[in-house]
Amino acid sequence: MHIVDRFLGYTAINTTTNREAGAAGVMPSSPGQRVLADKVAQELIALGLTVAVADNAILTATLPANVAGDLPSVAFFAHLDTSAEHTADTHAQLVSYEGGDICLNPELQITLRQSEFPELANYVGDQIIVTDGTSLLGADDKAAIAAIVNAVAYLQAHPEIPHGTIKIGLVPDEEQGLRGAKAFDTERFGADFAYTLDCCGIGELVYENWNAGDAEFVFHGASAHPMSAKGKLKNSLLMAHKFIAMLPGGEAPEYTEGREGYYWVKQMQGNSANTVLKLDVRDFTEQGYQQRMTLLDTLGKSCQALWGEQSVSYRLSDRYSNVFNSLQGENRYPIELALAAYETLGITAKPIPMRGGYDGAVLSQKGLPCPNLFTGAHNFHSIYEYLPVKSLEAASAVVIEIVKLTHARFSR
């Protein structure tokens, strides 16, 4: 099966993550994720792998080594779900790109414009997979699944290529707090190192991401009828707004880039009596992250002192840490293998700090060193998401090359 047909088959399954179900503890949060896991499981079984799909849709698979020796086992990960920004079914289409704009949907007048997405110019003469403008494409992260399965099919078709044990992991609900990775049993899985495929354009390589935390503040006011509110009404909404005003100016997502951290006021809900405020905290350095969490703790205590201890309650928690912390010293070799694979294939490596999280950050914290490789897609979480075919093929080629280089490095 051609990699494009494989990918298009995956996009036909709606795997939109369901935030409400996820918040209630359901995993997978949407039934399509289990459908996709079962489909991929059957494909891998047909290729000769040992496969298991758990009740929570976590898929694990093993391709045994075809050579003797004590080689490390390498794993490749992808996630099953797509983001909740758009929930409609995907109607993917393959276009031959000759430059300029791409009309995604003539009826709805939805166009992928080169003026807005100038990187399109890099793909003139290529075939590009796009949507009809009414949904996400789902290349985040079905392109990864297609690239991994295609690589396994290639290796099985070429038994002359020596390799150690290869493992595959597919996890649900990455798009809502890396839930699948957090539930993944790395010890039982048994891999020595791993890669996720969950970043964008060809050549990108991630081995830095946020130290990430969550903050929830609850402001407890006192309600009263406005006709007799003087001296009685204590408006929790205004308390929350005053708290927000105390955050450092300019340190928000819309004002930052690169390695600049931020506080993201993500959600506020309530009334004059009670208001819940939720924030995301992000910083690339451990010191910067701890300083941000300390500031929030200080602000919380200051508000308690100002309005009364019972007026403000809050909770600060860690979500995931910078994968860079887990890829140093003797654990750096997965980065070196990825860079060598890119070079062998003539792909210019573009290491980038990811202003977000990915499953590999959680897996690395669990003792499974895990950088992040490109899928080749652009504009994740958007109806303008697109996937150049040559980039998708290159992602699969990188997987194959890493397998080859692992044998070459550790069979000496």
Side-chain angles (χ1 to χ4, degrees):
M1 181 186 299
H2 192 273
I3 192 170
V4 171
D5 297 323
R6 197 180 296 281
F7 171 71
L8 292 176
Y10 299 157
T11 67
I13 302 170
N14 189 320
T15 61
T16 305
T17 198
N18 184 315
R19 297 195 184 282
E20 291 73 22
V26 178
M27 190 164 67
S29 65
S30 55
Q33 295 182 65
R34 179 59 193 247
V35 173
L36 179 56
D38 288 340
K39 176 179 175 62
V40 177
Q42 292 305 310
E43 293 178 0
L44 293 174
I45 290 170
L47 289 170
L49 279 71
T50 302
V51 183
V53 182
D55 290 343
N56 60 10
I58 290 178
L59 178 151
T60 54
T62 302
L63 177 64
N66 64 0
V67 292
D70 188 20
L71 294 171
S73 58
V74 56
F76 299 93
F77 280 85
H79 62 86
L80 296 160
D81 60 323
T82 57
S83 186
E85 276 83 357
H86 297 273
T87 61
D89 291 344
T90 298
H91 301 287
Q93 50 188 330
L94 184 65
V95 300
S96 296
Y97 185 58
E98 302 302 331
D101 299 340
I102 301 175
C103 182
L104 303 178
N105 194 315
E107 183 178 337
L108 298 177
Q109 297 183 331
I110 301 173
T111 301
L112 178 62
R113 301 187 185 281
Q114 189 180 26
S115 60
E116 297 177 17
F117 305 101
E119 70 279 358
L120 275 168
N122 297 327
Y123 305 110
V124 173
D126 196 359
Q127 289 187 305
I128 298 179
I129 307 171
V130 297
T131 73
D132 67 350
T134 64
S135 73
L136 307 181
L137 178 60
D140 176 17
D141 201 26
K142 292 169 184 172
I145 302 174
I148 294 167
V149 177
N150 185 75
V152 170
Y154 182 88
L155 291 168
Q156 289 293 71
H158 294 272
E160 71 278 9
I161 298 174
H163 63 79
T165 300
I166 301 168
K167 291 181 173 288
I168 295 170
L170 302 184
V171 295
D173 293 320
E174 186 269 353
E175 298 290 359
Q176 48 175 317
L178 315 179
R179 296 179 66 229
K182 290 177 179 177
F184 195 89
D185 189 340
T186 55
E187 186 173 346
R188 183 176 179 182
F189 188 52
D192 293 297
F193 67 106
Y195 299 89
T196 55
L197 283 76
D198 196 13
C199 60
C200 301
I202 184 170
E204 290 189 1
L205 175 63
V206 171
Y207 45 86
E208 288 184 81
N209 68 287
W210 292 126
N211 294 289
D214 302 312
E216 180 177 288
F217 286 78
V218 183
F219 300 90
H220 307 282
S223 60
H225 194 285
M227 72 178 186
S228 57
K230 187 174 182 179
K232 300 175 184 176
L233 177 62
K234 189 176 181 180
N235 195 328
S236 71
L237 288 165
L238 296 181
M239 294 162 66
H241 279 287
K242 290 175 181 177
F243 176 89
I244 294 170
M246 288 187 280
L247 296 173
E251 296 186 23
E254 60 267 35
Y255 304 119
T256 55
E257 61 183 355
R259 289 182 171 81
E260 297 172 331
Y262 59 69
Y263 305 87
W264 183 12
V265 178
K266 195 169 185 179
Q267 182 179 346
M268 186 170 73
Q269 185 175 9
N271 51 37
S272 61
N274 286 285
T275 298
V276 178
L277 178 68
K278 295 183 179 180
L279 302 93
D280 283 357
V281 183
R282 301 289 186 267
D283 205 286
F284 276 98
T285 69
E286 290 186 87
Q287 181 182 6
Y289 172 71
Q290 291 301 329
Q291 288 175 343
R292 292 182 185 281
M293 296 297 270
T294 298
L295 175 61
L296 291 178
D297 182 50
T298 300
L299 291 179
K301 291 176 179 175
S302 297
C303 289
Q304 289 174 339
L306 180 64
W307 297 317
E309 188 173 344
Q310 303 304 315
S311 296
V312 184
S313 56
Y314 61 95
R315 177 180 58 85
L316 305 177
S317 58
D318 302 325
R319 183 180 291 187
Y320 52 81
S321 67
N322 191 339
V323 70
F324 187 77
N325 305 332
S326 303
L327 291 169
Q328 299 304 302
E330 64 180 13
N331 286 336
R332 185 177 167 79
Y333 69 91
I335 299 174
E336 296 169 353
L337 287 171
L339 290 170
Y342 285 23
E343 183 178 4
T344 300
L345 295 169
I347 298 170
T348 301
K350 303 171 185 174
I352 58 168
M354 176 177 272
R355 289 176 64 82
Y358 72 99
D359 288 323
V362 172
L363 298 171
S364 296
Q365 279 184 267
K366 293 184 174 187
L368 184 59
C370 191
N372 191 16
L373 309 173
F374 68 88
T375 61
H378 291 264
N379 302 335
F380 285 7
H381 298 197
S382 166
I383 61 171
Y384 300 111
E385 185 181 10
Y386 68 88
L387 176 63
V389 171
K390 289 180 182 177
S391 298
L392 174 60
E393 292 171 339
S396 189
V398 167
V399 172
I400 296 167
E401 194 61 34
I402 286 173
V403 170
K404 292 179 180 179
L405 290 170
T406 299
H407 175 266
R409 173 167 178 161
F410 292 99
S411 63
R412 299 169 186 169

